[in-house]
Amino acid sequence: TSVSVSIPLLRDSLPWPWRTIKENIHNSATFTHSNHSLYGASPLFFSRPDPAPDANISNGADIGDSPKRSCNCLGRDTIANAATKVAPAVVHLSVPQGFHGITLGRSVGSGTIINEDGTILTCAHGLVNFQGLRSSSKEKIEVTLQDGRSFEGTVVNVDVHADVAILKIKSKIPLPTAKLGSSSNIRPGDWVLAMGCPLTLQNTVTAGIVSCVDRKSSELGLGGMHREYLQTDCAINQGNSGGPLVNVDGEVVGINIMKVLGADGLNFAVPIDSVSKIIEHFKKNGRVVRPWLGLKMLDLNSIIVENLKERNASFPDVGRGVLVPMVFPGSPADRAGFLPGDVVVEFGGRPIGSIKEIIEIMGDKIGKPFKAVVKRKNNVTETLTVIPEEVNPDM
């Protein structure tokens, strides 16, 4: 019996150029926000399959005596169908920029309607003057839908640390909405779409893959609080900031916020699971409450531990944990007795293997004591009690 199978061919397509936080990674790459910056003409590419897979295989039809199986190939309409689900809810934002009430111009960005009451999810850097002012202007933000309708939007909540903001518009008729998915089950190599209004070109869709699911802010040379991003190679440009990152099921899995200037395919989004927690904080407290210990921390694994023990034989015998390279003077951790070189192996009564676990255990608990078990050189074990303080919202 002879069997004929069609195989999707891959080819490069859609050349496109993309926002400015001038931060350096290893003194070489510059990060840029998509709605305030210089943007170059360096091309970004992604590949996609051309012909549809064989219908018999896609439907799991019998081929001879072989068992039924379904092919989860990327089909001809997969990207288009996902984009169609979200596109009506993607909006173009025109934000007045000014100083002391004087409007000097407007910046552009994107957002996503996530509730029929007019709640819009976007990024903070397009709405906030980072010199201490909560909003860049008292004027209303112009919000334009895909169908051409225009509304005046109001800033409801802003979290500068995570670069997330909530806007609100009022409409007498129901508004299209996008469904929020989950970023916890995303894997490197998964297909995603970036949607928004780059260079004021509304209703633009680009596609690519997830390059990394937990790119840490420290790896990007970004100071301040610990944050994690989804790294993608979707083409994004000035104006894409705040727009949705969408999976092939048509669910929002992130907010596009920055890229590396002068590099191809190095773009970053806030994971939607982190955004959902921020939205819950907004509902509960009107702001995001973040506990602060005053520690610089580094995740450990067996390879890093082995390397540290080669350098210093007195380094404690641990398989995993969180290393404390520095303690801020006068901080809660300093008062609790933490020392540089400590390895946190338990926190809040639970074994610890990452910074993320410590953050999750603390949640939004301010002023509550937590027990921390640390190991020091020569395997000395200490139990410390630390009481977190709230991070300064304007820091």
Side-chain angles (χ1 to χ4, degrees):
T1 303
S2 63
V3 179
S4 174
V5 181
S6 64
I7 301 174
L9 300 176
L10 298 180
R11 71 180 184 192
D12 288 330
S13 59
L14 297 186
W16 270 88
W18 145 259
R19 122 186 168 161
T20 306
I21 299 177
K22 293 189 176 177
E23 298 269 0
N24 292 330
I25 299 183
H26 308 306
N27 300 321
S28 59
T30 301
F31 281 91
T32 129
H33 285 291
S34 68
N35 50 341
H36 304 272
S37 70
L38 302 174
Y39 51 93
S42 48
L44 299 170
F45 299 94
F46 70 89
S47 298
R48 65 179 181 188
D50 267 343
D54 189 281
N56 291 329
I57 296 178
S58 297
N59 296 327
D62 286 339
I63 303 178
D65 297 327
S66 61
K68 286 187 178 182
R69 64 181 66 183
S70 93
C71 176
N72 295 321
C73 301
L74 192 73
R76 177 181 296 173
D77 298 327
T78 304
I79 298 295
N81 291 342
T84 300
K85 290 181 181 179
V86 181
V90 179
V91 299
H92 174 261
L93 306 178
S94 179
V95 185
Q97 299 291 310
F99 184 72
H100 291 301
I102 302 173
T103 301
L104 302 177
R106 303 184 79 86
S107 65
V108 295
S110 305
T112 312
I113 304 174
I114 59 173
N115 195 298
E116 289 183 351
D117 65 1
T119 301
I120 297 174
L121 185 61
T122 185
C123 65
H125 68 259
L127 310 177
V128 173
N129 175 335
F130 284 97
Q131 287 148 2
L133 301 177
R134 274 291 169 208
S135 63
S136 56
S137 174
K138 297 293 183 182
E139 296 180 41
K140 297 290 184 178
I141 295 167
E142 184 180 339
V143 180
T144 306
L145 274 63
Q146 187 187 49
D147 58 16
R149 286 183 289 167
S150 185
F151 299 88
E152 285 188 344
T154 304
V155 179
V156 178
N157 292 105
V158 172
D159 181 47
V160 173
H161 291 297
D163 204 355
V164 172
I166 297 292
L167 301 178
K168 200 73 172 285
I169 59 175
K170 293 181 180 179
S171 174
K172 295 180 180 178
I173 59 177
L175 294 165
T177 62
K179 180 182 178 182
L180 300 186
S182 173
S183 53
S184 62
N185 55 3
I186 293 178
R187 302 171 301 167
D190 281 347
W191 282 86
V192 284
L193 291 69
M195 304 180 67
C197 311
L199 309 178
T200 71
L201 299 174
Q202 293 179 237
N203 314 326
T204 297
V205 180
T206 61
I209 63 167
V210 175
S211 307
C212 179
V213 297
D214 56 355
R215 184 67 68 199
K216 297 174 178 57
S217 55
S218 57
E219 296 179 69
L220 306 180
L222 302 176
M225 296 186 61
H226 176 83
R227 289 152 291 171
E228 291 185 350
Y229 301 102
L230 295 174
Q231 179 182 329
T232 77
D233 67 351
C234 294
I236 48 180
N237 291 278
Q238 180 187 14
N240 269 116
S241 274
L245 186 72
V246 180
N247 63 19
V248 292
D249 295 321
E251 300 170 333
V252 178
V253 294
I255 303 176
N256 297 307
I257 62 165
M258 64 182 173
K259 70 172 296 184
V260 178
L261 189 65
D264 291 344
L266 290 176
N267 311 309
F268 303 91
V270 181
I272 202 64
D273 289 353
S274 299
V275 175
S276 297
K277 292 177 182 177
I278 289 169
I279 293 173
E280 289 303 314
H281 277 272
F282 285 157
K283 292 178 180 178
K284 181 180 177 181
N285 306 308
R287 69 186 195 285
V288 179
V289 177
R290 288 189 175 90
W292 178 65
L293 297 178
L295 296 173
K296 278 202 170 182
M297 297 182 281
L298 173 70
D299 291 348
L300 293 179
N301 56 40
S302 57
I303 297 174
I304 297 175
V305 170
E306 183 179 347
N307 183 264
L308 291 172
K309 285 187 75 67
E310 286 178 359
R311 297 183 183 183
N312 186 351
S314 64
F315 191 83
D317 295 326
V318 293
R320 60 198 297 264
V322 175
L323 176 64
V324 177
M326 190 179 91
V327 180
F328 288 91
S331 66
D334 185 30
R335 294 193 295 271
F338 280 87
L339 299 175
D342 284 351
V343 177
V344 184
V345 293
E346 287 185 26
F347 192 87
R350 286 168 47 184
I352 290 302
S354 69
I355 302 169
K356 186 176 181 180
E357 291 173 356
I358 293 178
I359 294 172
E360 289 176 350
I361 290 172
M362 289 193 296
D364 60 356
K365 301 176 181 68
I366 304 296
K368 176 183 175 179
F370 288 91
K371 295 286 185 183
V373 177
V374 300
K375 284 200 171 186
R376 293 174 173 165
K377 61 182 181 179
N378 298 317
N379 292 317
V380 175
T381 301
E382 294 282 353
T383 300
L384 310 174
T385 301
V386 60
I387 302 175
E389 296 177 356
E390 183 176 0
V391 172
N392 182 350
D394 297 312
M395 186 169 66

